[in-house]
């Protein structure tokens, strides 16, 4: 990752206290944008946490054991998802994350078929097959849930990196059984 701190050389950056491996965060304030959109720091993970909390509240009458896991270090090796998946060994796991849209500046439509405002993104596979390939029973379950609740969605085949879903999927021998769906 390259972050411009205004230095003219490695030595100049060192004088500022910035070296390779120095933890950094963006100083981005929450701001209103046009068309009912907002910007701010770490929305991808914060939005995922908010969705998970809302989902748990909606599950009050579900007769199943559900674990909510808020993982860490996704961007540096999916570490939290790996340890959580190994420890819990779930029958089914859902991960929330963000997607790049094909109508985003700097992204070509051929890199992502997802469009902003056209519905939630449901991943079919990511990392060009090196990560998760979602079992058909899970895809069917997610699509049926969305359709029965009039929730618009888009299917995504990711060409970039992986998410926590891949780490969970590949951590233990999770058997997906159609009876759950």
């Amino acid at each position: 990752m390259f972050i411009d701190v205004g230095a003219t050389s490695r030595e100049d950056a060192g004088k500022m206290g910035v070296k390779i491996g120095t933890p950094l965060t963006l100083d981005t304030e929450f701001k209103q944008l046009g068309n009912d959109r907002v910007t701010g720091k770490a929305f991808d993970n914060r939005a995922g946490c908010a969705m998970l909390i809302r989902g748990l509240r909606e599950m009050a009458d579900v007769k199943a054991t559900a674990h909510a896991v808020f993982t860490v270090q996704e961007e540096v090796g999916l570490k939290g998802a790996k340890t959580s998946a190994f420890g819990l060994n779930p029958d089914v796991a859902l991960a929330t994350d963000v997607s790049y849209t094909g109508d985003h500046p700097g992204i070509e439509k051929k890199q992502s078929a997802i469009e902003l405002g056209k519905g939630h993104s449901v991943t079919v596979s990511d990392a060009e097959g090196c990560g998760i390939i979602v079992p058909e029973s899970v895809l069917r379950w997610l699509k049926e849930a969305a359709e029965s609740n009039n929730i618009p969605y888009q299917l995504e085949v990711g060409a970039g990196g992986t998410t926590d879903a891949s780490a969970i999927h590949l951590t233990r021998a999770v058997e997906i059984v159609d009876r759950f769906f």
Side-chain angles (χ1 to χ4, degrees), residues 76-131:
V76 293
L78 309 162
K79 293 172 172 75
K82 290 175 184 174
T83 57
S84 298
F86 190 86
L88 292 172
N89 195 20
D91 293 318
V92 176
L94 301 176
T96 63
D97 209 330
V98 297
S99 296
Y100 291 99
T101 61
D103 55 354
H104 181 278
I107 304 288
E108 295 181 35
K109 187 71 174 162
K110 67 181 180 181
Q111 294 171 288
S112 175
I114 303 301
E115 293 181 52
L116 187 62
K118 300 282 179 150
H120 299 278
S121 171
V122 175
T123 299
V124 175
S125 69
D126 67 11
E128 296 180 348
C130 298

Side-chain angles (χ1 to χ4, degrees), residues 1 3 13 15 39 42 52 57 59 74 78 90 101 106 109 114 116 134 137 153 163 168:
M1 180 181 291
I3 300 173
K15 289 176 187 172
T39 187
L52 182 53
R57 288 182 178 145
M59 291 178 53
E74 178 212 10
L78 309 162
T101 61
K109 187 71 174 162
I114 303 301
L116 187 62
V134 178
S137 57
Y153 67 91
T163 66
I168 295 165

Side-chain angles (χ1 to χ4, degrees), residues 106-173:
I107 304 288
E108 295 181 35
K109 187 71 174 162
K110 67 181 180 181
Q111 294 171 288
S112 175
I114 303 301
E115 293 181 52
L116 187 62
K118 300 282 179 150
H120 299 278
S121 171
V122 175
T123 299
V124 175
S125 69
D126 67 11
E128 296 180 348
C130 298
I132 191 169
I133 300 173
V134 178
E136 181 56 36
S137 57
V138 174
L139 273 178
R140 185 174 58 248
W141 176 51
L142 292 172
K143 291 190 292 188
E144 287 172 1
E147 290 164 5
S148 67
N149 289 285
N150 296 314
I151 299 170
Y153 67 91
Q154 304 171 74
L155 297 177
E156 179 179 20
V157 176
T162 60
T163 66
D164 282 351
S166 291
I168 295 165
H169 180 67
L170 298 172
T171 294
R172 300 242 335 210

